[in-house]
């Protein structure tokens, strides 16, 4: 994690979003069966060259020869269209698995919030490691994706508790705001109002890497120097967090686009877990940044 080189070019079967493995990088499309072969075993031509009958074109005004017994047998023994499509990922698969992952995030957050808040540090390390493993693993692992969701929830529970103790009611506000933003992006994308572009995606990659370096630097200063770049100036922190909300929103738009493309290309059913992983990452990221924005707004209003 002309057109979007990470996502839109999937339709051209070249390059795609590197966060989603081979199907994000131009996996097999169902459209190729029209060029490379018939999945049902029947020949593509029914005239003279199909059955070796030099008189087929003359005897049949429609250009079709009568199939022989072997051809009919191959057609009847071929897998049905429903069985063929049963092994392909669908939008329902992605929705169900994303909902499952988000449920595990909530479960992990509740454990940290109500039972043992220090688990957030365990969740941070586990989520970092599992996030990298799931991002670069060639074959998606449902168990690792679900383990990441639980770890992310443990981190989120402790992080949210810190904000809630300082600004009561802020967590509910952040959850509602995240749902509204995610739904708005989905509606606008579904109606064709917003799309990813190659230029925006290049900017997103550079900005996300830069923001990640900033977060690591801020974490190091907080742990070893007791100083936070965020708390130094709430106004600057608010601007940075608003910019991060835009980055997380674009990441979610990329996930919506990639999900639509992968489903349309007919990727294997297992890829629903990879798509659900990407959506979970973006939604959690969006929630964290909205929580930060609301925190800075409350801090500025209190001052």
């Amino acid at each position: 994690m002309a057109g979007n080189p990470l996502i839109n070019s999937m339709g051209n079967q070249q390059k795609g979003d590197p966060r989603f493995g081979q199907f994000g990088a131009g996996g097999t499309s169902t459209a190729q069966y029209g060029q490379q072969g018939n999945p049902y075993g029947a020949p593509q031509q029914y005239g003279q060259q199909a059955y070796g009958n030099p008189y087929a074109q003359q005897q049949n005004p429609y250009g079709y020869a009568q199939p022989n017994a072997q051809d009919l047998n191959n057609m009847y023994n071929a897998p049905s269209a429903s069985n063929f499509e049963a092994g392909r990922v669908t939008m329902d698969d992605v929705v169900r698995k994303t909902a499952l992952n988000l449920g595990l995030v909530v479960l992990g957050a509740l454990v940290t919030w109500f039972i043992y808040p220090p688990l957030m540090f365990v969740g941070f390390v586990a989520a970092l490691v599992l996030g990298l493993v799931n991002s670069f693993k060639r074959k998606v692992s449902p168990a690792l994706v679900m383990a990441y969701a639980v770890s992310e929830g443990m981190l989120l529970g402790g992080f949210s508790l810190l904000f809630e103790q300082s600004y009561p009611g802020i967590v509910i506000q952040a959850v509602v705001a995240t749902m509204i933003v995610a739904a708005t992006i989905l509606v606008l994308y579904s109606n064709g109002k917003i799309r990813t572009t190659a230029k925006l995606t290049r900017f997103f990659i550079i900005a996300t890497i830069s923001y990640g370096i900033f977060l690591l630097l801020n974490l190091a200063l907080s742990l070893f120097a007791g100083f936070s770049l965020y708390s130094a100036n709430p106004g600057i922190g608010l601007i940075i967090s608003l910019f991060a909300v835009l980055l997380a929103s674009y990441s979610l738009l990329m996930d919506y686009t990639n999900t639509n493309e992968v489903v349309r290309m007919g990727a294997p059913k297992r890829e629903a877990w990879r798509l659900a992983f990407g959506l979970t990452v973006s939604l959690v990221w969006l929630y964290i940044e909205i929580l930060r924005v609301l925190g800075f707004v409350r801090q500025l209003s209190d001052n």
Side-chain angles (χ1 to χ4, degrees):
M1 76 157 243
N4 191 332
L6 297 178
I7 302 168
N8 291 343
S9 60
M10 291 173 56
N12 297 327
Q13 302 181 17
Q14 296 174 352
K15 296 181 179 180
D17 192 337
R19 299 175 299 169
F20 297 93
Q22 61 178 332
F23 294 99
T28 303
S29 170
T30 53
Q32 73 178 11
Y33 290 114
Q35 300 174 355
Q36 297 181 0
N38 187 326
Y40 305 109
Q44 295 182 353
Q45 301 182 33
Y46 297 91
Q48 175 179 348
Q49 298 179 0
Y51 302 107
N53 186 351
Y55 303 102
Q57 299 286 352
Q58 300 178 9
Q59 295 174 352
N60 192 331
Y62 298 98
Y64 295 95
Q66 294 295 327
N68 56 35
Q70 182 62 38
D71 296 319
L72 290 174
N73 184 60
N74 291 337
M75 293 175 63
Y76 285 124
N77 291 333
S80 65
S82 59
N83 291 336
F84 177 75
E85 295 176 355
R88 303 301 180 183
V89 64
T90 65
M91 200 63 70
D92 288 341
D93 295 331
V94 179
V95 172
R96 285 194 295 267
K97 288 173 175 57
T98 302
L100 174 60
N101 281 339
L102 293 178
L104 292 174
V105 169
V106 173
L107 178 62
L110 292 176
V111 170
T112 305
W113 184 302
F114 291 106
I115 298 178
Y116 193 60
L119 281 175
M120 69 174 293
F121 299 105
V122 177
F124 171 75
V125 175
L128 181 61
V129 173
L130 291 172
L132 293 174
V133 171
N134 285 317
S135 297
F136 294 101
K137 188 175 176 60
R138 184 173 182 83
K139 184 177 181 180
V140 63
S141 170
L144 291 180
V145 172
M146 290 187 288
Y148 167 82
V150 174
S151 302
E152 192 71 69
M154 293 166 58
L155 169 63
L156 214 58
F159 187 78
S160 300
L161 182 60
L162 294 176
F163 276 83
E164 185 69 20
Q165 291 173 342
S166 301
Y167 311 105
I170 193 173
V171 170
I172 294 297
Q173 295 174 349
V175 170
V176 173
T178 301
M179 294 172 61
I180 292 175
V181 173
T184 300
I185 295 174
L186 179 59
V187 170
L188 292 176
Y189 170 75
S190 300
N191 293 331
K193 302 298 183 181
I194 54 175
R195 287 289 185 268
T196 58
T197 65
K199 184 177 294 186
L200 279 177
T201 299
R202 286 194 296 269
F203 175 78
F204 166 80
I205 294 174
I206 296 173
T208 301
I209 294 175
S210 302
Y211 183 62
I213 295 174
F214 168 79
L215 290 179
L216 291 176
L217 177 62
N218 184 68
L219 178 62
L221 289 175
S222 300
L223 293 176
F224 301 107
F227 174 77
S228 173
L229 297 174
Y230 276 112
S231 60
N233 190 317
I236 295 178
L238 176 60
I239 294 174
I240 295 175
S241 294
L242 285 172
F243 179 71
V245 168
L246 294 178
L247 290 179
S249 299
Y250 190 79
S251 176
L252 189 58
L253 176 61
M254 292 173 65
D255 288 320
Y256 287 155
T257 305
N258 190 72
T259 298
N260 182 60
E261 289 295 324
V262 171
V263 171
R264 182 183 61 83
M265 291 169 61
K269 203 177 189 67
R270 192 182 187 90
E271 289 301 304
W273 285 103
R274 196 187 307 277
L275 298 171
F277 167 72
L279 289 166
T280 302
V281 171
S282 294
L283 287 169
V284 169
W285 181 17
L286 181 61
Y287 164 79
I288 291 175
E289 300 304 340
I290 290 178
L291 188 62
R292 279 203 181 104
V293 168
L294 294 177
F296 284 121
V297 170
R298 295 278 287 270
Q299 184 177 353
L300 290 172
S301 63
D302 291 345
N303 295 336

